[in-house]
Each structure stands twice: as structure tokens, then as C-alpha cells.
Amino acid sequence: MSDRLDRGRPYALGAFRAVVGLLFTCHGVASLFGVLDTAELPAGRWPGWYAALIQLACGALVLLGLATRPAALLGSGSMAFAYFDVHQHRALLPIENGGEAAVFFCWTLLLIVFCGPGAPALDRLLADRRAAARAAREEREARESQESPEGGDGRLAMPA
């Protein structure tokens, strides 16, 4: 049973990352555009408008699994700032001060920073393509150097 669960870990992590990214993106969209029963923030208003912009951009990147770790780190930090700047002064505990979402996003995004994007992510797809292109280039260069009468430095190879 444990082996099956371990094999599914990258896919569960990918699904977790996508859901967290979608929810974080929704917060940004709601605040920036005044949708989903949320009032629109005035453009450029500190810190809310900038936080919403970070939520939109980082949430979309996390959702897609693109630049996942840096995006998750920035999103996590912005939520830590939101908690301590907006919520903490109201009461000690998040349930008392309305900061549950900020704490949840801070810690879940931080978990993604350390665990990575999971299996179905654009980061992994791009890395796999780069590795395949690098391997094909190295194979082609090796084949060309074997077929060429010149050595690798451009000079004629001397027979031994």
C-alpha cells in the first residue's frame, strides 16, 4: 500500500500545487477586477493592490507549474507580510483576526517551495525538453567528430 502511495506522490503534489495556484489566482483576480463578491481595489493602492497583483501573477505561475519555486516563495512572503501587517494587530490567533487565508496560503506556498511542482508541471516539461535537446546535440557532436578527419580542436588528426 505504501509503495503505491509513494508512486502517486508526484501527481498528488502536482494536483495540490494546481489547486493552491488556482485559489491564489482567484484572490488576485477578485481584488484587482472586483469580481467574485469582492470590491475592486484602486490601482496602485499600497499594499492591497500590489498584493493582489502578486496573487494573480504568482498564482498563475504556481497553477501552471512554471517558475514554481520562485513564484511560491514570493507568494508565501507576501502572505506573511499581509498577515503581520493587516491581521495580527486585530487579535493573536488567525481565527480571531480574519487571517486564516493569509496563514494558509503562506504555509502551503512555502511547502511548494520545498517540495517542488510535482509531476505534471511546465517546469518539468521544459527541463525534459532541454535535457533531450542537450543529449541530441551531444550525440550529434560526437558523431560529427568521429566522421571528421580533424580532431576536436580543428587541426588535422595525426595518425598514431
Side-chain angles (χ1 to χ4, degrees):
M1 176 77 166
S2 183
D3 290 338
R4 284 186 184 169
L5 291 174
D6 287 342
R7 282 193 303 266
R9 181 181 298 148
Y11 301 100
L13 181 57
F16 175 78
R17 172 200 38 83
V19 169
V20 170
L22 177 64
L23 294 174
F24 204 51
T25 301
C26 287
H27 273 270
V29 167
S31 298
L32 287 174
F33 305 112
V35 295
L36 305 172
D37 276 345
T38 303
E40 182 178 348
L41 292 170
R45 181 174 178 212
W46 177 258
W49 187 82
Y50 294 96
L53 194 59
I54 289 171
Q55 291 167 1
L56 175 63
C58 292
L61 289 171
V62 169
L63 170 63
L64 296 171
L66 185 61
T68 306
R69 287 180 161 162
L73 183 63
L74 179 59
S76 176
S78 75
M79 289 295 96
F81 176 83
Y83 180 75
F84 289 109
D85 187 58
V86 177
H87 300 282
Q88 181 64 54
H89 69 277
R90 294 181 192 161
L92 178 63
L93 298 175
I95 194 140
E96 297 173 308
N97 63 29
E100 291 171 296
V103 170
F104 171 77
F105 279 121
C106 177
W107 285 100
T108 56
L109 289 167
L110 191 61
L111 180 66
I112 292 169
V113 170
F114 286 96
C115 292
L122 288 179
D123 281 341
R124 290 189 187 267
L125 176 68
L126 294 174
D128 290 348
R129 285 191 176 183
R130 282 191 298 265
R134 186 179 323 112
R137 185 177 61 247
E138 290 171 358
E139 182 180 321
R140 185 179 63 245
E141 289 171 356
R143 195 173 42 246
E144 288 172 358
S145 69
Q146 288 175 352
E147 295 171 357
S148 173
E150 299 177 353
D153 59 1
R155 296 180 294 184
L156 286 176
M158 302 299 284

